[in-house]
């Protein structure tokens, strides 16, 4: 049986697509997954997207805490300028993300600089996803 060049190219492309679906993608380590989620949450906070930041909290927290209540406790004395996840340490289903935060004080006039502080965040594994633990 003889195949045209177009048929051979199509068959080759289809075979490559099929084989690429078989390639195993290594799952992220818990530390890397939490680092990525913590960084994304802080990017949302810096951008002022409190709704998006809220989505990183545990479903169990969101079940009992409205967005309005969550957002009322966010921000206040400073504007976040930058955040960097410095390290993540994990044990079984709990991780601690150490985040370095740079902020510009709102009420410290005439101070024009920024301050740097840090926060330790607790992240919990729930239903296969890492979520920020928030105290009620």
């Amino acid at each position: 049986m003889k195949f045209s060049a177009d048929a051979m190219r199509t068959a080759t492309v289809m075979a490559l697509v099929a084989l690429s679906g078989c390639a195993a993608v290594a799952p992220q380590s818990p530390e890397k997954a939490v680092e990525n989620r913590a960084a994304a949450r802080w990017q949302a906070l810096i951008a002022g997207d409190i709704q998006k930041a809220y989505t990183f909290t545990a479903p169990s927290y969101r079940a009992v805490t409205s967005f309005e209540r969550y957002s009322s406790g966010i921000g206040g004395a400073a504007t976040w300028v930058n955040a960097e996840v410095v390290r993540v340490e994990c044990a079984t289903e709990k991780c601690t993300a150490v985040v370095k935060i740079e902020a510009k004080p709102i009420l410290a006039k005439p101070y024009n600089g920024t301050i740097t502080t840090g926060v330790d965040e607790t992240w919990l594994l729930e239903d296969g996803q890492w979520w920020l633990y928030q105290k009620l």
Side-chain angles (χ1 to χ4, degrees), residues 2-25:
K2 189 173 183 184
F3 294 102
S4 70
D6 286 338
M8 289 298 287
R9 276 193 292 273
T10 301
T12 301
V13 169
M14 290 176 63
L16 289 173
V17 169
L19 288 174
S20 69
C22 296
V25 177

Side-chain angles (χ1 to χ4, degrees), residues 4-98:
S4 70
D6 286 338
M8 289 298 287
R9 276 193 292 273
T10 301
T12 301
V13 169
M14 290 176 63
L16 289 173
V17 169
L19 288 174
S20 69
C22 296
V25 177
Q28 287 184 330
S29 68
E31 291 82 3
K32 191 63 177 171
V34 168
E35 177 184 348
N36 290 341
R37 287 185 56 78
R41 177 180 170 272
W42 275 100
Q43 287 173 356
L45 287 170
I46 290 167
D49 191 346
I50 307 303
Q51 182 70 47
K52 183 173 182 181
Y54 178 66
T55 67
F56 288 93
T57 62
S60 54
Y61 172 82
R62 292 192 311 268
V64 296
T65 306
S66 67
F67 169 71
E68 290 74 21
R69 182 171 175 208
Y70 170 79
S71 65
S72 70
I74 299 291
T79 301
W80 296 302
V81 176
N82 191 31
E84 174 189 356
V85 180
V86 177
R87 77 177 174 280
V88 176
E89 297 172 357
C90 296
T92 312
E93 296 182 350
K94 178 182 175 183
C95 293
T96 301
V98 178

